[in-house]
Amino acid sequence: RKEQELDSKDAIILHQFSRPNNGVPSLSPFCLKMETYLRMADLPYQNYFDGKLSPQGKMPWIEYNHKKVSGTEFIIDFLEEKLGVNLNKHLGPHERAVSRAVTKMVEEHFYWTLAYCQWVENLHETQKMVSLFGPFSDLLKWILCHLTKGIVKREMYGHGIGRFSEEEMYTLMEKDMRTLAGLLGDKKYIMGPNVSTVDATVFGHLAQAMWTLPGTRPERLIKGELINLAMYCERIRRKFWPEWHHDDDNTLYESEESSEASKTYSPLQDFSFYSRTETFDEEGNSISQTPDTDYTGHSLFDSDVDMDEYRDHEQCK
C-alpha cells in the first residue's frame, strides 16, 4: 500500500498499535503511557494507527514539525523542550530522583513480568483482545500472537528475567506491585496530590493488570489485597479517559472523591476516533472530532481539575 505523507507541522502525531476490542485503549503499556501523558499535559495530538514502527524499531513514536522521535522518555524530553510543558515542575530534587527510580523499576523490571503474563501464560485471552479485520483475521491474529510470544520469550531470556521459573517471575512481579502499593499509600498520586510524569508510566502498566489479564495473579492481587492500586487506576481512568468505560464502573473501586463524578458519563465513544483534535485512519483520512469538555464544561485534558470540585458542585445542587 502506498504510504500517506503526514503533515506534522505544529501537530503531535502519535503512532501506536491499533485499539484492542475490549475497550482498553492499548495492550501496550508504553502506548498507553504516552497517550495518557499527552492528556495529562493537555497537549493536542492526532492518533495514527498504522502499526509502523519507528526507525529504531520502537512503538509508540511521534512526529512533530516533521521530526520523528521514539522512546517514551525521549519523546517526553522532546515535548518539554519544544512546548514548555513539565508535569514535574512541582517536584524537588529528591522527589525527581525517586520518580525516576520508580519509572525504571516499572519499565525495566515489572514490564517483563507483565509481558510474560500477557503474551505467554495468558496468550489465549490476549488473542481475543487483538483487533484485526478481514476474511483471515482469526488466522492472522493467531500468527501475530504466537510470533509475539516467541519474541517476548527470547527477549526475556536475553534480559535475564526469562531464565527464572514461572513461580519465581510471579514472585518478582508481586514484589514490584507491593512496592508500588507501599509507595502510593493513601496518596492521590504516586508523588503526592498532583499528577506527575511517573503517574503516566505506572498507570500504563498497572492498567494491563487491572483490565487486560482476567483471572490472573496480577489481576487478583490488584483487585484484592492491593486495592489502593485499583483505586489509583480508577482515579486516573475517570479523570483523563472519561470516554473509557468498563464493567467495573460501579464496583468497590470507587473512591469517595470519584463516586459522585462517576454517576454522569457521556456515551462510550469509539477509541479509534479519539483525540483532542482530529484523528487519522490508516489511509491518512481525517475521521472525526470529539468533544474536549466533560459534563461540567471543564477540559477533559486539564490536569488541574480536581474530582473534589465535582463532588462539591453536586452537593451544592
Side-chain angles (χ1 to χ4, degrees):
R1 187 177 60 197
K2 188 176 181 179
E3 293 186 5
Q4 177 76 27
E5 185 70 24
L6 293 178
D7 183 7
S8 63
K9 180 173 171 37
D10 298 327
I12 300 171
I13 298 175
L14 176 62
H15 295 258
Q16 61 171 312
F17 297 116
S18 298
R19 304 290 196 199
N21 57 23
N22 66 331
V24 176
S26 181
L27 295 176
S28 163
F30 292 97
C31 289
L32 183 53
K33 166 194 174 179
M34 195 65 250
E35 192 167 2
T36 300
Y37 170 85
L38 291 172
R39 291 173 176 230
M40 288 178 171
D42 197 14
L43 294 175
Y45 65 96
Q46 299 171 338
N47 276 316
Y48 202 71
F49 302 106
D50 54 357
K52 181 181 178 182
L53 301 179
S54 72
Q56 294 81 13
K58 293 283 190 178
M59 186 74 88
W61 55 287
I62 69 162
E63 292 181 80
Y64 182 77
N65 283 338
H66 307 290
K67 181 174 178 60
K68 300 177 181 180
V69 186
S70 67
T72 56
E73 183 173 355
F74 291 117
I75 292 173
I76 291 172
D77 289 344
F78 173 80
L79 293 176
E80 287 182 352
E81 179 185 351
K82 294 295 182 182
L83 302 178
V85 297
N86 190 349
L87 294 181
N88 299 330
K89 60 185 178 182
H90 61 284
L91 301 181
H94 175 75
E95 293 173 311
R96 290 172 185 261
V98 172
S99 177
R100 178 165 176 79
V102 172
T103 297
K104 293 302 108 179
M105 180 194 76
V106 170
E107 294 185 344
E108 304 297 339
H109 195 265
F110 181 49
Y111 163 77
W112 291 108
T113 57
L114 279 176
Y116 175 83
C117 198
Q118 276 185 311
W119 297 104
V120 180
E121 188 204 20
N122 206 46
L123 182 65
H124 180 69
E125 291 297 323
T126 301
Q127 184 175 324
K128 295 177 184 178
M129 302 176 194
V130 174
S131 180
L132 286 177
F133 302 97
F136 303 106
S137 59
D138 290 339
L139 175 61
L140 290 175
K141 283 200 293 186
W142 187 92
I143 294 173
L144 173 64
C145 289
H146 281 77
L147 282 174
T148 303
K149 175 182 177 180
I151 292 171
V152 168
K153 291 180 70 175
R154 184 176 70 247
E155 292 189 349
M156 288 183 68
Y157 189 85
H159 176 277
I161 198 170
R163 306 186 188 208
F164 296 114
S165 68
E166 179 178 299
E167 185 60 33
E168 288 171 327
M169 281 191 282
Y170 276 115
T171 297
L172 296 174
M173 170 186 279
E174 184 172 328
K175 286 183 177 182
D176 288 343
M177 293 181 70
R178 290 186 184 280
T179 298
L180 290 172
L183 182 63
L184 177 64
D186 59 359
K187 299 194 300 293
K188 190 173 182 179
Y189 299 111
I190 294 295
M191 301 308 298
N194 298 313
V195 73
S196 57
T197 302
V198 69
D199 291 298
T201 301
V202 174
F203 175 74
H205 287 73
L206 286 180
Q208 308 304 319
M210 183 83 174
W211 290 295
T212 74
L213 297 171
T216 61
R217 290 172 62 174
E219 187 205 47
R220 292 194 298 270
L221 191 60
I222 195 173
K223 293 182 177 181
E225 186 178 349
L226 306 182
I227 192 69
N228 67 327
L229 293 182
M231 295 175 68
Y232 168 79
C233 288
E234 280 292 316
R235 188 176 302 121
I236 292 179
R237 178 177 73 92
R238 291 169 188 248
K239 184 170 184 178
F240 298 105
W241 292 91
E243 79 284 14
W244 171 5
H245 295 247
H246 194 268
D247 293 340
D248 288 337
D249 273 352
N250 296 314
T251 67
L252 65 137
Y253 308 121
E254 288 183 348
S255 62
E256 182 180 344
E257 68 175 16
S258 65
S259 58
E260 290 296 326
S262 66
K263 293 178 181 178
T264 307
Y265 271 121
S266 58
L268 176 65
Q269 301 179 31
D270 188 338
F271 281 76
S272 299
F273 302 157
Y274 189 96
S275 83
R276 170 83 179 253
T277 54
E278 290 186 349
T279 301
F280 291 109
D281 62 12
E282 292 186 357
E283 299 295 337
N285 300 314
S286 178
I287 299 176
S288 68
Q289 186 171 5
T290 56
D292 64 352
T293 58
D294 63 11
Y295 68 95
T296 67
H298 288 294
S299 168
L300 299 179
F301 305 88
D302 189 351
S303 59
D304 294 328
V305 175
D306 194 298
M307 301 299 276
D308 290 331
E309 296 177 5
Y310 297 165
R311 186 165 174 263
D312 294 341
H313 175 71
E314 291 296 321
Q315 288 177 343
C316 291
K317 289 168 62 179

